[in-house]
Amino acid sequence: MTESLEIMDARFMREALRQARKGLGRTSPNPAVGAVIVKDGVQISAGYHKKAGLPHAEIEALKRLGGKAPGCTIYITLEPCNHYGRTPPCTEAILASGINRVVVGMMDANPDVPGRGCQFLRDHGIEVKAGVLEEECRILNEVFVKFITTKKPFLIAKSAITLDGWTGTSTGQSKWITNEKSRQYVHRLRAQADAVLVGVGTVLADDPELTVRIKHSRERCPLRVILDTHLRTPLNARVLDRLTPSDTLIAVGTDVARDRLSQHEKAGSNLVVCPVKEGRIDLTALMDILAGRSITSILVEGGASIIGSMLRNGLIDKYYIFLAPKILGGGNGIPMAAGTGPESIDGCIGLKNLQIKRFGGDIMVVGYPSYR
């Protein structure tokens, strides 16, 4: 039985998505894009965007064919660009290649250029079909979509908890609630984010490095951001080790003593003074500061007060909750989110579009908060 065009388009778009995922975490502030070139129902080339400033996915796929693909169809997860940026327009390369059909997953989310690439191709006689596996393509680039449309970072919160809801003991000890497989997955999440954010409490309690540690990998390491209103981060904290591959930014309040600031500045600490709200770093203001530095995604790793504040302010876009098959028992541990919660169950924040995955005995729940 001959495969229908609709089924074939979906099949090759899935392959384009698979290609695009290879670039996740490496293309910021650009989207992750994949492309597949097909001739007579057979894939003959593929490519993906490897890094901002390098050739786009379409160009990578065409390069393997010497730039020529007469009579072919190209599948692209995101509308091809039609403007000069750090690279030339991909639409012109598609025209020059002889491709006569273009299948697009999603239109460009950039409000300055939506639809221009597809329209340019149509105006030059190319058949264009858009919206194939559009939802999957948008989820793949959810970070890019939010940043390009709102100029704010996409915030991903990660929590590791016991079955009775605790992230640590009464003494603050939390190593290790989850197993090694879960922790390795968190390192992959770090590698895909532009920044990882913790509070000074986590630095004082755990002295973490917050680097990416994946075996046999050269993943890039995200910027480490510490919320430290009163600049209590020790000068010898591992997160400030300049020999690690990650940079560190300490967000401090407006009333830190001058001598304390000078100590850190002389030691090479990268400080940014932020507005303070209710005695803590104003998180909304900090997000604007980080967005101005082209930080498009942030993995929030703690602690309870930060997670609680971000949830109450509707800042978290996506949640990864790791449930370990352990029961702390008692009522004096550290909760997942601190602060004042709702008086009614109806006031709970729901999670939608759930995904569930197991890592040995651990269960990971992924979802998007539904704020009222």
Side-chain angles (χ1 to χ4, degrees):
M1 182 176 179
T2 304
E3 184 179 41
S4 71
L5 185 59
E6 183 177 349
I7 293 174
M8 184 171 67
D9 285 347
R11 176 163 63 90
F12 286 120
M13 187 60 72
R14 288 191 186 93
E15 174 59 22
L17 280 163
R18 191 184 73 82
Q19 292 290 328
R21 292 187 186 99
K22 296 178 183 179
L24 279 175
R26 299 180 176 90
T27 63
S28 180
N30 289 353
V33 182
V36 170
I37 298 177
V38 173
K39 178 75 170 181
D40 298 328
V42 178
Q43 178 178 323
I44 61 173
S45 186
Y48 68 97
H49 186 35
K50 296 178 180 177
K51 184 180 179 181
L54 294 183
H56 290 180
E58 304 93 310
I59 308 304
E60 286 286 347
L62 284 169
K63 184 168 61 176
R64 291 172 170 78
L65 302 174
K68 300 298 180 182
C72 292
T73 296
I74 186 168
Y75 293 83
I76 318 167
T77 56
L78 182 77
E79 177 185 15
C81 66
N82 189 45
H83 58 276
Y84 281 90
R86 296 168 71 175
T87 57
C90 293
T91 50
E92 294 185 2
I94 291 173
L95 281 180
S97 73
I99 285 173
N100 60 11
R101 184 170 184 260
V102 176
V103 181
V104 173
M106 64 172 283
M107 306 300 281
D108 196 332
N110 187 335
D112 294 330
V113 297
R116 292 185 185 177
C118 287
Q119 190 58 51
F120 176 86
L121 293 173
R122 290 190 179 103
D123 290 344
H124 286 78
I126 304 295
E127 179 188 348
V128 178
K129 179 180 179 180
V132 176
L133 301 188
E134 180 176 7
E135 184 62 22
E136 289 92 331
C137 292
R138 291 187 70 84
I139 291 173
L140 174 76
N141 276 308
E142 58 193 3
V143 168
F144 171 74
V145 170
K146 181 184 179 183
F147 186 77
I148 203 67
T149 56
T150 68
K151 306 303 180 186
K152 294 182 182 298
F154 189 92
L155 267 61
I156 304 158
K158 183 275 300 183
S159 292
I161 63 176
T162 62
L163 287 179
D164 50 348
W166 303 108
T167 62
T169 67
S170 59
T171 62
Q173 203 272 333
S174 60
K175 293 183 179 179
W176 294 105
I177 288 177
T178 53
N179 62 33
E180 177 64 22
K181 290 182 179 179
S182 293
R183 298 197 297 274
Q184 277 296 302
Y185 189 84
V186 171
H187 281 284
R188 291 201 290 273
L189 291 178
R190 284 183 185 174
Q192 293 179 8
D194 288 344
V196 56
L197 183 149
V198 300
V200 66
T202 298
V203 174
L204 295 174
D206 299 335
D207 193 22
E209 286 187 352
L210 299 178
T211 54
V212 174
R213 297 185 296 278
I214 301 177
K215 293 180 180 179
H216 312 300
S217 175
R218 294 184 179 181
E219 299 285 357
R220 68 165 188 150
C221 287
L223 173 71
R224 299 172 291 195
V225 179
I226 306 170
L227 301 185
D228 191 357
T229 309
H230 305 294
L231 193 49
R232 295 186 293 149
T233 300
L235 289 170
N236 63 348
R238 292 200 300 168
V239 76
L240 297 182
D241 186 351
R242 299 176 72 181
L243 296 180
T244 61
S246 299
D247 292 327
T248 300
L249 179 71
I250 306 178
V252 302
T254 54
D255 61 352
V256 178
R258 182 66 249 178
D259 61 337
R260 184 62 175 161
L261 289 172
S262 297
Q263 289 177 350
H264 269 271
E265 288 168 349
K266 289 178 181 177
S269 297
N270 185 8
L271 308 176
V272 59
V273 179
C274 296
V276 175
K277 183 177 181 181
E278 298 178 354
R280 297 177 180 272
I281 297 295
D282 186 329
L283 295 174
T284 301
L286 177 60
M287 294 306 108
D288 290 336
I289 291 171
L290 294 175
R293 299 186 179 207
S294 294
I295 299 297
T296 67
S297 60
I298 302 172
L299 179 64
V300 183
E301 293 202 36
S305 62
I306 293 172
I307 295 295
S309 179
M310 287 189 168
L311 282 173
R312 284 189 295 277
N313 285 281
L315 296 178
I316 300 297
D317 295 294
K318 191 173 187 177
Y319 223 125
Y320 285 80
I321 301 174
F322 293 83
L323 289 160
K326 299 175 182 177
I327 298 174
L328 184 62
N332 61 346
I334 299 175
M336 187 176 76
T340 303
E343 295 182 356
S344 167
I345 291 296
D346 291 340
C348 288
I349 297 171
L351 290 182
K352 58 185 179 181
N353 301 331
L354 292 180
Q355 303 172 51
I356 298 175
K357 185 174 182 178
R358 291 190 62 172
F359 295 99
D362 293 350
I363 298 173
M364 179 182 73
V365 179
V366 184
Y368 299 83
S370 181
Y371 299 108
R372 296 179 182 275

